[in-house]
Amino acid sequence: MSLSTLDGTLHRGCGGRYALQTETVTMRLSGMAAEVTREFFRCEKCAHEQRTIEQRDAAEKSATEYIRAEHNLLAPKAIRQLRESLGLTLPQFAELIYGTPKGIVDGWEKGKYLQNREADALIRGLADRETLELRAAKAGVPLPVVEMAAASVPAVVPAAGAGAAPPAHP
Ligand SMILES: [Zn+2]
């Protein structure tokens, strides 16, 4: 029984009618709080409250948007773009975020779940090549080969010069 609006509908329990109301509440997501003004229906006679699926979704969405902006968390699209720019699959990427279940990471990329600040920092850390390689080595995840700028890599030269070494006696 999912109705998008209950405004004016009968509350069978008491014979009263539901009216649209708004309330400002503190919602918590992933350990972070947001003040959200949300809609619901209240029976004018007995004060029974009802929330439609649409109202719940809308409230959760505004809480997510508020918290993401407040804590400067990566948007779902940005997470996906980072992963793809590294050439990693979802399971590989999840391994590099200390073995976060891939379903959770998928939820982050789709905006279904909101990463907390710690997870956000871990994701951002992967943009740094050194951090990426370190975590990949620890997790045993093979990284796609990247082409290095050859000019900036110093050539490895043997320590002893050719003329200075004493003749070897095999
Ligand atoms: Zn009622």
Side-chain angles (χ1 to χ4, degrees), residues 39 59 109 142 145 149 167 170:
E39 293 186 345
E109 288 191 356
V145 178

Side-chain angles (χ1 to χ4, degrees), residues 11 14 43 46:
H11 179 206
C14 78
C43 173
C46 76

Side-chain angles (χ1 to χ4, degrees), residues 10-18 42-48:
L10 182 72
H11 179 206
R12 289 180 203 276
C14 78
R17 295 209 174 260
Y18 286 105
R42 183 190 285 144
C43 173
E44 290 175 314
K45 195 171 167 189
C46 76
H48 179 257

Side-chain angles (χ1 to χ4, degrees), residues 90 94 100-109 112-113:
L90 198 71
T100 302
K102 65 178 195 296
I104 300 286
V105 180
D106 189 48
W108 292 341
E109 288 191 356
K112 195 172 148 199
Y113 305 129

Side-chain angles (χ1 to χ4, degrees), residues 15-57:
R17 295 209 174 260
Y18 286 105
L20 185 64
Q21 308 283 338
T22 59
E23 61 183 352
T24 301
V25 290
T26 302
M27 286 181 71
R28 297 199 143 263
L29 285 175
S30 310
M32 294 165 285
E35 285 240 311
V36 171
T37 300
R38 64 183 182 189
E39 293 186 345
F40 65 103
F41 294 100
R42 183 190 285 144
C43 173
E44 290 175 314
K45 195 171 167 189
C46 76
H48 179 257
E49 292 179 3
Q50 283 228 62
R51 286 166 176 79
T52 64
I53 289 167
E54 288 82 357
Q55 286 173 330
R56 289 170 204 266
D57 286 351

